[in-house]
Amino acid sequence: MKIRYDLKPAAQRRTAPFTPQGPLSFGQLRTDHMFLMDYADGGWRDPRIVPYGPFSLDPGAVVLHYSQEIFEGAKAFKHADGEIQAFRIDKNAERLNRSAPGVCMPTIPVEDQVQAILALLDVDRLWFPEQDGASLYIRPFMIGTQDSLGVKPSTRYLFCVFLSPSGPYYPKGFTEPIKLLISRRFHRAAPGGTGAIKTGGNYAASLRAGVAAHELGASQVLFLDTTDTWIEEAGAMNHFHVTRGGRLVIPTFTDTILRSVTSESVLALGAAALGVEAVQERIPLAAFLEGLKSGEIAEAGGFGTAAVVSPVGAYVFEDKSEVKVGAGGIGPHTRQVYDVVTGIQRGTRPAPAGWMFKVPRIA
Ligand SMILES: *Cc1c(COP(=O)(O)O)cnc(C)c1O
């Protein structure tokens, strides 16, 4: 793929390393440029890197009415040698291509998506925040842009990638476990639906569950399947627990659970690296709660790109009753998994072959 560069004038671009004065929050900032590519007449055209900014859309664009949208989230890190390395972006590109047919959108060759991300990271490499534990968050997404009110797939699409310089997810260290609401009132995904694809509509539909969680002092919902029998996932992260016997269990991926790249990485690493055996099983809620009460389940948490690992200290129910996980703190296995995955990302531990994508110097 030949990318066209239409960069900001040098005087308007960042020319010195980015050294934020205070703590950077997640996802607020943008860099100087974005990647764009249009789909029309059955093909992708005009891949380009242009100044970051608003683009115009017809008010009748399909995405604005019927949510024809898919997205991804990944991160790049700066290693001790000063090189920027993106974590497993081929996995994100593959997942975008699995999401696309779920909402009747076109795919993009994995190598083109990877090239687009690396080229953008290269152009805006000075935006990497010089701060401990920082990253450049990568947000690829695709929208249906045809001006059409008929309920059918758009004939035109826009693919965009932008970057967000972000501080450490845990600015005070890996210390505070979160609380999850186990809800029987809200469900995230139904069999045969879109739960296993990364589409904005799933998030719109889960917003009110998130608000209900906050009202009960929880930060997210742990969703159950529609029969309230099985544990599925939280709205933006997969769920896991660790048994006293040292097994880390992630619910088996179904068509109502999104395949997290973080979960897949933990499953791929194996016991030698992690100190626990990571497996997938269907998890009945009743057995899970019994395990928490008996102490058989000692640790629990969530896996996702933003936090990598979110330790869970307690679960709350809609009747406000609560169940604690272990002593409510962060367990040793949870900490080790966090240390291993973030160590690989930041280059302080060796990465399995093909996991890190070094940003080439082209622009
Ligand atoms: C993105 C996402 C996750 C986390 O996936 P990662 O690839 O690890 O970031 C989990 N659940 C849902 C519903 C998601 O959209």
Side-chain angles (χ1 to χ4, degrees):
M1 179 172 75
K2 174 126 184 61
I3 298 174
R4 175 165 72 82
Y5 287 81
D6 174 17
L7 304 186
K8 278 188 177 178
Q12 291 170 31
R13 266 188 257 162
R14 169 165 290 289
T15 51
F18 178 32
T19 49
Q21 292 315 301
L24 277 188
S25 54
F26 172 77
Q28 298 275 305
L29 292 178
R30 304 286 176 264
T31 65
D32 283 328
H33 299 94
M34 61 184 175
F35 174 91
L36 294 178
M37 183 162 68
D38 309 306
Y39 182 93
D41 305 321
W44 286 104
R45 358 205 130 236
D46 196 15
R48 59 202 182 273
I49 291 179
V50 299
Y52 178 87
F55 36 68
S56 64
L57 276 182
D58 287 305
V62 172
V63 63
L64 299 178
H65 303 271
Y66 310 129
S67 300
Q68 200 186 14
E69 191 262 8
I70 52 177
F71 70 100
E72 276 303 322
K75 276 181 178 172
F77 303 85
K78 196 173 200 172
H79 288 190
D81 61 1
E83 298 297 331
I84 296 178
Q85 306 255 2
F87 181 73
R88 304 201 82 184
I89 49 175
D90 57 334
K91 292 284 150 201
N92 294 94
E94 287 168 9
R95 188 170 62 191
L96 187 98
N97 285 349
R98 286 199 305 271
S99 294
V103 280
C104 300
M105 298 176 97
T107 57
I108 303 171
V110 168
E111 56 274 21
D112 290 350
Q113 293 185 57
V114 168
Q115 186 193 352
I117 292 168
L118 294 179
L120 182 63
L121 285 166
D122 176 37
V123 163
D124 282 346
R125 64 170 68 238
L126 283 175
W127 276 98
F128 192 94
E130 302 292 332
Q131 202 170 63
D132 258 2
S135 63
L136 268 173
Y137 181 77
I138 304 159
R139 172 51 61 89
F141 68 102
M142 193 197 297
I143 57 175
T145 54
Q146 187 191 1
D147 186 350
S148 162
L149 288 181
V151 181
K152 55 185 182 331
S154 176
T155 56
R156 307 173 68 90
Y157 297 91
L158 178 69
F159 175 68
C160 174
V161 184
F162 66 82
L163 306 174
S164 179
S166 296
Y169 193 88
Y170 297 108
K172 292 182 207 119
F174 192 54
T175 50
E176 265 168 66
I178 58 169
K179 205 183 275 185
L180 293 180
L181 167 65
I182 296 182
S183 175
R184 292 186 176 88
R185 192 174 147 217
F186 299 109
H187 295 91
R188 176 184 167 273
T194 56
I197 74 173
K198 210 164 174 76
T199 181
N202 289 341
Y203 280 73
S206 72
L207 289 174
R208 65 185 189 134
V211 169
H214 286 143
E215 284 168 3
L216 287 161
S219 52
Q220 289 188 40
V221 177
L222 174 58
F223 289 100
L224 304 174
D225 79 306
T226 50
T227 68
D228 293 335
T229 309
W230 309 95
I231 287 185
E232 297 211 311
E233 66 163 317
M237 57 186 195
N238 282 175
H239 186 263
F240 73 89
H241 69 259
V242 186
T243 67
R244 210 162 34 189
R247 276 160 50 88
L248 186 154
V249 191
I250 298 170
T252 307
F253 296 137
T254 61
D255 75 341
T256 50
I257 298 179
L258 189 98
R259 281 169 174 266
S260 148
V261 175
T262 315
S263 294
E264 292 195 311
S265 301
V266 168
L267 290 164
L269 279 170
L274 294 174
V276 286
E277 185 199 0
V279 297
Q280 290 194 289
E281 282 169 10
R282 298 205 73 190
I283 314 296
L285 174 66
F288 179 71
L289 294 176
E290 247 168 60
L292 287 176
K293 279 176 192 144
S294 71
E296 172 55 27
I297 292 172
E299 303 178 35
F303 287 137
T305 292
V308 181
V309 180
S310 294
V312 174
Y315 297 86
V316 59
F317 294 87
E318 268 134 357
D319 65 5
K320 299 192 174 143
S321 62
E322 288 197 14
V323 189
K324 268 206 172 145
V325 184
I330 299 175
H333 297 301
T334 302
R335 191 174 292 275
Q336 180 165 358
V337 170
Y338 177 79
D339 288 343
V340 169
V341 177
T342 56
I344 290 170
Q345 293 176 330
R346 293 173 193 161
T348 57
R349 281 172 195 261
W355 279 26
M356 301 307 296
F357 290 74
K358 182 170 157 184
V359 176
R361 294 172 189 270
I362 312 166

